């Protein structure tokens, strides 16, 4: 979902004994219930608002990954056999600890991602809702039972855990996306290894500490920080049963192909290009307010960000652009601690350069830059990784900036004549993650929601992110795999069905030999 690879941006520095030579904090791993920091390789973690190195993160190698998998394997039998109500009680305690320590978690997110505190709070709340859903495990793991499916024969299905599973998560949601994965996997009886983004590693370690405080046995949940070397070790390890991934489409496809080739279950959520169709009858003031938050919130570093507004007719396009231009002048961006800011910086200098290059390519290919955020320099944070809110008009479907995911605070406007033309644009795009339509016309909304080839659809809802008891996922090249993330699909992904059929034969009746297929006739 993020447009950056979840692998290292640069060459790690090599040290013999990190603890003895590093002048700044070293972020390590969480293994078998405790923090482990010794490593031979590290990578810088930046404070995006200042551009300065704030920490170093330890990078796991294949030997460490093998060690952690072994630890998780040892923990699995006892955790699998722990009654499901006791596993759920851990999640209830974990939920309370998340709420009690929300301020600390949001601080870690802000420090490493740059996300404004109010946005980090929203991210965390969405993650907590997934923990709440996981607390219902005694209900959704009950299985199914049928009596007398044949003469004195009963049959039932059980949902059993897979074993050791792993998750690889992106920088843009350091708490929420991991919480999509491991609470469900763990409450279903699996052991989980999390590999968070090396750009934002600290929130995951804090989640692990809180889970330990909630009573989770050591070894059931482990966190390893790392780059491609760690990812590949997880993908190829024969005792990892399943991989969950969220990131960019090229990496999602690599993860899915590699994991499935190794015989693993895999769900890999990729990129997006989310369109909003603006119908002539839409409430334009509400549309503009929705677009501002959906396009520029979290600096556009969301897989569900609305990055393309498709206006039906020039009159609507002109009006929307006029109102957007005025409102965008009022937007504030800067340091994560200032609650008055609407959004913060991008994650890295490399990503800032990439977003600016997309803006330049749109201008070069004939689009009109209405509001230009390329020279954004908040007072006091001139060296941060900032791009201001950017509005681009006269965009066409053959432009690079339209075809690819920008993943920044950039909103593009495409003008079309009809709703069918707008829908064709969306259906033709390689991504099918999210979309929405603004209209007062119920017939148009119903037609749109039925025929649009996108996995998550909003009607006057700009960010149609499903709640925790539904499931999250796109179509086309936005998702590789058959099952969505979290919700009911999460239960299915982290368990496998076993169906048992039994008969206790009567001592009084001798069964006859039977060579044909058994039936109920």
């Amino acid at each position: 979902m993020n447009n950056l690879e979840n692998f290292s941006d640069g060459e790690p520095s090599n040290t013999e004994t990190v603890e003895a030579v590093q002048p700044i904090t070293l972020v390590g791993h969480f293994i078998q219930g405790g923090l482990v920091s010794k490593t031979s390789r590290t990578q810088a973690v930046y404070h995006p608002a200042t551009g300065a190195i704030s920490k170093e993160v330890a990078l796991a190698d294949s030997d460490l990954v093998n060690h952690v998998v072994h630890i998780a394997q040892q923990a699995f039998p006892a955790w699998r056999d722990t009654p499901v109500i006791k596993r759920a009680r851990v999640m209830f305690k974990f939920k309370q600890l998340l709420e009690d320590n929300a301020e600390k978690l949001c601080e870690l997110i802000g420090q490493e991602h740059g996300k404004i505190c109010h946005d980090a709070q929203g991210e965390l709340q969405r993650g907590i809702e997934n923990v709440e859903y996981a607390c219902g495990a005694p209900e959704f793991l009950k299985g199914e039972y049928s009596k007398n499916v044949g003469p004195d024969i009963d049959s039932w299905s059980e949902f059993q855990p897979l074993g050791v599973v792993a998750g690889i998560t992106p920088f843009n949601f350091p708490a929420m996306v991991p919480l999509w994965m491991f609470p469900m996997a763990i409450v279903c009886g699996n052991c989980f290894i999390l590999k968070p983004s090396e750009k934002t590693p600290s929130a995951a370690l804090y989640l692990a500490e809180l889970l330990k405080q909630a009573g989770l046995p050591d070894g059931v949940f482990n966190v390893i920080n790392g780059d491609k070397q760690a990812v590949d070790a997880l993908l190829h390890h024969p005792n990892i049963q399943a991989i969950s991934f969220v990131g960019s489409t090229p990496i999602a496809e690599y993860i899915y192909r590699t994991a499935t080739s190794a015989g693993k279950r895999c769900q890999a959520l990729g990129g997006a290009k989310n369109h909003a169709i603006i119908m002539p009858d839409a409430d334009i003031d509400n549309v503009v307010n929705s677009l501002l938050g959906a396009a520029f919130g979290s600096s556009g570093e969301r897989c569900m960000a609305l990055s393309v507004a498709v206006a039906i007719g020039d009159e609507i396009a002109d009006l929307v652009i006029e109102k957007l231009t005025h409102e965008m002048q009022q937007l504030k961006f800067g340091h994560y601690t200032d609650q008055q800011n609407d959004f913060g910086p991008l994650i890295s200098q490399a990503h800032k350069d990439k977003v600016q290059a997309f803006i330049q390519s749109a201008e070069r290919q004939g689009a009109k830059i209405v509001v230009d955020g390329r020279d954004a320099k908040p007072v006091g944070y001139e060296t941060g990784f900032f791009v201001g809110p950017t509005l681009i008009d006269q965009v066409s479907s053959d432009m690079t900036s339209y075809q690819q995911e920008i993943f920044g605070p950039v909103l593009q406007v495409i003008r079309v004549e009809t709703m069918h033309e707008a829908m064709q644009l969306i259906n033709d795009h390689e991504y099918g993650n999210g979309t929405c339509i603004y209209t007062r016309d119920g017939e148009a909304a119903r037609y749109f929601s039925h025929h649009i080839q996108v996995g998550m659809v909003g009607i006057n809802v700009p960010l149609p992110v499903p709640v925790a008891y539904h499931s999250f996922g796109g179509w086309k090249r936005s998702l590789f795999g058959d099952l969505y993330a979290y919700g009911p699909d999460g239960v299915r992904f982290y368990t496998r069905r076993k169906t048992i059929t039994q008969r206790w034969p009567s001592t009084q009746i001798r069964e006859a030999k039977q060579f044909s297929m058994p039936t109920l006739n």
Side-chain angles (χ1 to χ4, degrees):
M1 290 180 172
N2 59 348
N3 204 38
L4 294 181
E5 295 184 357
N6 280 321
F7 306 146
S8 174
D9 283 334
E11 291 296 322
S13 57
N14 293 314
T15 58
E16 289 295 328
T17 307
V18 171
E19 296 90 342
V21 300
Q22 282 296 340
I24 57 178
T25 301
L26 176 68
V27 180
H29 318 282
F30 190 92
I31 301 171
Q32 205 168 16
L35 293 172
V36 177
S37 59
K38 191 171 183 179
T39 183
S40 61
R41 300 187 307 135
T42 66
Q43 181 175 306
V45 177
Y46 290 87
H47 190 316
T50 65
I53 296 175
S54 60
K55 303 169 186 173
E56 293 279 333
V57 60
L59 301 177
D61 57 18
S62 57
D63 288 340
L64 182 60
V65 171
N66 292 340
H67 174 62
V68 174
V69 174
H70 178 68
I71 287 169
Q73 281 184 279
Q74 289 182 313
F76 174 63
W79 183 243
R80 173 194 58 201
D81 292 337
T82 299
V84 65
I85 189 65
K86 291 187 176 181
R87 300 199 299 253
R89 285 172 186 160
V90 172
M91 288 301 147
F92 275 109
K93 293 177 183 177
F94 181 50
K95 172 188 175 290
Q96 187 62 55
L97 288 168
L98 287 170
E99 293 170 343
D100 293 344
N101 294 277
E103 185 175 346
K104 173 64 175 177
L105 264 168
C106 292
E107 176 82 7
L108 292 171
I109 293 168
Q111 288 173 355
E112 296 178 354
H113 177 272
K115 189 173 294 187
I116 308 303
C117 288
H118 56 74
D119 192 13
Q121 290 162 1
E123 167 187 347
L124 180 57
Q125 179 56 38
R126 275 299 188 124
I128 289 172
E129 289 166 7
N130 284 276
V131 181
E132 286 179 324
Y133 183 74
C135 291
E139 174 64 26
F140 57 64
L141 291 178
K142 281 195 306 188
E144 302 158 342
Y145 189 90
S146 295
K147 189 176 180 67
N148 285 333
V149 298
D152 298 319
I153 299 174
D154 303 328
S155 184
W156 70 91
S157 294
E158 299 175 354
F159 300 98
Q160 297 189 350
L162 305 178
V164 181
V165 298
I168 303 165
T169 56
F171 72 79
N172 58 326
F173 287 103
M176 185 185 75
V177 173
L179 290 170
W180 284 2
M181 299 177 184
F182 71 78
M184 181 58 67
I186 289 171
V187 83
C188 287
N190 300 282
C191 291
F192 197 94
I193 299 171
L194 174 63
K195 205 300 289 182
S197 170
E198 64 275 21
K199 300 175 182 70
T200 53
S202 297
L205 296 178
Y206 194 56
L207 292 174
E209 291 181 11
L210 295 180
L211 201 47
K212 179 180 174 65
Q213 291 178 35
L216 189 73
D218 293 347
V220 175
F221 181 59
N222 303 279
V223 180
I224 54 169
N225 285 302
D227 52 10
K228 189 175 186 295
Q229 187 175 149
V231 169
D232 283 342
L234 290 170
L235 291 174
H236 292 287
H237 199 290
N239 294 319
I240 296 289
Q241 302 300 316
I243 295 280
S244 298
F245 172 82
V246 176
S248 67
T249 285
I251 306 304
E253 188 169 23
Y254 170 78
I255 295 284
Y256 182 76
R257 287 183 175 177
T258 307
T260 54
S261 294
K264 304 182 191 308
R265 183 177 292 187
C266 185
Q267 57 178 189
L269 283 70
K273 197 72 176 182
N274 304 320
H275 301 65
I277 293 180
I278 308 170
M279 298 290 287
D281 67 336
D283 183 330
I284 299 302
D285 288 333
N286 281 337
V287 169
V288 168
N289 286 336
S290 292
L291 288 175
L292 289 169
F296 306 126
S298 200
S299 295
E301 291 177 327
R302 293 172 177 161
C303 68
M304 288 296 283
L306 279 179
S307 56
V308 181
V310 187
I312 310 300
D314 286 334
E315 183 179 349
I316 290 296
D318 291 340
L319 183 57
V320 168
I321 288 171
E322 177 188 350
K323 288 179 176 289
L324 277 172
T325 302
H326 176 265
E327 293 297 327
M328 287 170 65
Q329 311 305 321
Q330 320 305 317
L331 296 181
K332 298 179 180 178
F333 50 93
H335 196 267
Y336 73 93
T337 56
D338 187 348
Q339 293 276 16
Q340 299 303 309
N341 286 327
D342 298 300
F343 61 92
L346 296 171
I347 189 63
S348 68
Q349 182 62 48
H351 191 45
K352 175 182 175 179
D353 293 343
K354 190 172 186 178
V355 170
Q356 290 179 326
F358 275 122
I359 299 170
Q360 290 160 7
S361 74
E363 187 174 34
R364 201 166 49 244
Q365 292 176 335
K368 179 183 178 182
I369 311 300
V370 180
V371 180
D372 194 341
R374 283 175 287 184
D375 293 326
K377 287 183 171 40
V379 176
Y381 299 99
E382 291 81 2
T383 57
F385 308 138
F386 289 95
V387 171
T390 299
L391 180 62
I392 307 177
D393 190 17
Q394 304 294 343
V395 174
S396 61
S397 61
D398 59 346
M399 293 181 180
T400 303
S401 62
Y402 172 77
Q403 294 170 350
Q404 298 184 31
E405 184 179 35
I406 297 177
F407 220 64
V410 180
L411 176 61
Q412 299 182 95
V413 178
I414 289 186
R415 298 165 181 250
V416 298
E417 295 301 319
T418 67
M419 185 179 82
H420 286 86
E421 187 180 351
M423 290 178 63
Q424 193 64 50
L425 270 175
I426 299 171
N427 289 342
D428 285 346
H429 205 284
E430 67 171 320
Y431 297 132
N433 205 50
T435 188
C436 77
I437 185 170
Y438 293 102
T439 183
R440 291 187 176 97
D441 186 337
E443 181 183 6
R446 190 174 188 274
Y447 183 89
F448 175 79
S449 63
H450 183 65
H451 291 279
I452 205 69
Q453 295 172 22
V454 174
M456 292 171 283
V457 179
I459 298 170
N460 300 313
V461 175
L463 295 173
V465 180
V467 294
Y469 42 89
H470 286 267
S471 295
F472 180 106
W475 287 12
K476 297 182 281 189
R477 288 177 57 78
S478 291
L479 172 69
F480 298 87
D482 297 325
L483 292 171
Y484 282 12
Y486 67 76
D489 271 18
V491 181
R492 296 183 184 98
F493 183 78
Y494 290 118
T495 61
R496 64 188 141 205
R497 181 189 296 265
K498 178 181 287 185
T499 302
I500 302 161
T501 304
Q502 74 171 15
R503 170 192 283 168
W504 296 108
S506 169
T507 57
Q508 318 246 331
I509 300 175
R510 175 75 57 182
E511 291 186 33
K513 299 182 181 68
Q514 181 176 336
F515 296 98
S516 58
M517 185 69 183
T519 70
L520 296 179
N521 293 329

